[in-house]
Amino acid sequence: MNKVKLENRPVGPFPAALAGAMVDGRPNYAAVGAAGCVCLDPVLYVSLKSTHYTTAGVRKSGYFSINIPSADLLPQTDFCGLVSGGDRDKAQLFHSFFDAAGDAPMIEECPLNFLCKVFQTTQVRGFEVFFGEVVAAYASQGAMVDGQPDVQKIDPIIMMGASYCGVGGVIGHPFAEGKALL
Ligand SMILES: Cc1cc2nc3c(=O)[nH]c(=O)nc-3n(C[C@H](O)[C@H](O)[C@H](O)COP(=O)(O)O)c2cc1C
């Protein structure tokens, strides 16, 4: 077996996202790596440290948004992970928009946005894992190809170890590439 044993910590790759919530009547955004898909239904999770400013907003409002930034938003994304909304107004970095389906801000500059209504919360070692039903979803027109959000147009930020990386593009299709091995 040609393997190197690593430290027991997940190194990625994880897509970077910006979790949004209303806090004290203002939009706030935190950088997150711990967010994603949960099951076949339209459900996303986000795992937020209990002490984060954003967490208080999700807890109170019952809504969060997941916004997928493009690589050109890397400075703003990293800033949202460096600084707390309790100290700085991070809403100034972006244009926020809303949907009638729920009270969480979304980021106009991000090519993909998902508004989620919390239906379950689990505490895990100082974090609150919010599970939310997707109640609205948006894509920027410029991120679409043939009516579908396109990975190269979206140009997501991938976290790997201590680095931010880009993606190369489409390499295949789910439930298709494995058929050769059936
Ligand atoms: C790339 C990156 C990913 C992060 N991922 C998470 C995460 O998944 N969960 C979390 O609670 N904090 C995460 N953080 C830390 C928060 O974004 C950071 O503490 C932020 O300042 C919290 O903002 P707030 O207090 O306004 O909510 C991450 C930070 C960075 C830079």
Side-chain angles (χ1 to χ4, degrees), residues 147-181:
Q148 295 297 324
D150 178 80
V151 72
Q152 271 172 302
K153 300 264 184 203
I154 292 165
D155 196 14
I157 301 164
I158 306 298
M159 297 156 51
M160 182 72 213
S163 303
Y164 292 119
C165 311
V167 298
V170 176
I171 58 163
H173 301 283
F175 306 116
E177 308 309 322
K179 280 187 179 165
L181 304 179

Side-chain angles (χ1 to χ4, degrees), residues 3-12 14 160-162:
K3 287 276 183 190
V4 176
K5 208 159 187 326
L6 300 177
E7 278 180 49
N8 293 342
R9 55 176 63 238
V11 292
F14 304 115
M160 182 72 213

Side-chain angles (χ1 to χ4, degrees), residues 28-34 47-49 52-54 78 80-85 90 127 159 164:
N28 190 63
Y29 301 102
V32 291
S47 179
L48 290 168
K49 199 171 181 190
H52 285 348
Y53 196 64
T54 313
D78 196 53
C80 287
L82 279 170
V83 170
S84 175
K90 293 188 270 186
F127 282 66
M159 297 156 51
Y164 292 119

Side-chain angles (χ1 to χ4, degrees), residues 11-69:
V11 292
F14 304 115
L18 289 163
M22 291 302 286
V23 193
D24 289 338
R26 275 191 298 136
N28 190 63
Y29 301 102
V32 291
C37 203
V38 174
C39 57
L40 282 178
D41 287 338
V43 171
L44 293 177
Y45 82 92
V46 64
S47 179
L48 290 168
K49 199 171 181 190
S50 301
T51 50
H52 285 348
Y53 196 64
T54 313
T55 315
V58 179
R59 226 182 270 135
K60 188 161 180 204
S61 70
Y63 289 91
F64 64 87
S65 68
I66 295 296
N67 305 272
I68 307 297

